[in-house]
Amino acid sequence: MSGGTIDIDEFENADADEFEERNDTERIVLFLAENDDRAWKAATIAEQLELETDAVSAILSRLKERGLVRHKRPYWAITDDEERLRAAYRLHRHHETADEQYGEERLEELQTDDMETVQ
């Protein structure tokens, strides 16, 4: 994924507009991966992707917890652990495929009366 590439099988099997419909997290990861020779401020990433700075900051924090980005205040960069990044991307694609085939899970539909409410 680093360097702005995707697996050729994914490319061949994708719809023509599939890559334009990325969620904000995907867009941030792809932006950082495509610009892996630089570190960025959250506000600059937000500006480049036309997103809210607070949303970008929150997403970056979650990505850091997963080890997918590096952070030295105030800068952010994609992880240098390419295997971890590839593994996270594969897992993400598996989830997307499952959602497409079986529909998205909705926690409220899975809860029973015996379950404790999670907030």
Side-chain angles (χ1 to χ4, degrees):
M1 189 157 134
S2 182
T5 66
I6 59 171
D7 180 73
I8 195 66
D9 291 331
E10 179 186 358
F11 173 79
E12 293 295 341
N13 294 323
D15 295 329
D17 61 349
E18 181 174 340
F19 303 114
E20 295 176 16
E21 298 178 18
R22 303 245 183 228
N23 67 37
D24 293 345
T25 301
E26 291 172 308
R27 291 178 60 210
I28 291 168
V29 170
L30 288 172
F31 174 81
L32 291 173
E34 290 169 358
N35 297 284
D36 61 357
D37 61 333
R38 305 199 58 82
W40 302 80
K41 290 183 177 180
T44 306
I45 296 168
E47 181 181 310
Q48 292 291 314
L49 299 176
E50 298 179 356
L51 299 171
E52 294 293 323
T53 301
D54 290 343
V56 170
S57 294
I59 291 168
L60 288 168
S61 293
R62 287 193 304 269
L63 290 169
K64 181 182 177 199
E65 289 173 7
R66 296 181 199 150
L68 299 175
V69 297
R70 298 173 283 165
H71 180 56
K72 290 184 182 177
R73 185 166 268 152
Y75 295 99
W76 297 88
I78 197 72
T79 182
D80 55 0
D81 185 344
E82 291 186 20
E83 181 52 38
R84 183 175 190 83
L85 194 57
R86 279 192 291 274
Y89 184 72
R90 284 191 302 268
L91 179 62
H92 173 71
R93 293 298 295 164
H94 288 299
H95 282 261
E96 279 187 340
T97 301
D99 285 348
E100 289 169 9
Q101 287 180 326
Y102 305 110
E104 291 185 38
E105 288 183 358
R106 293 184 184 12
L107 182 58
E108 62 275 3
E109 294 173 5
L110 300 174
Q111 288 182 328
T112 66
D113 292 335
D114 297 331
M115 293 177 69
E116 186 176 317
T117 302
V118 178
Q119 294 186 21

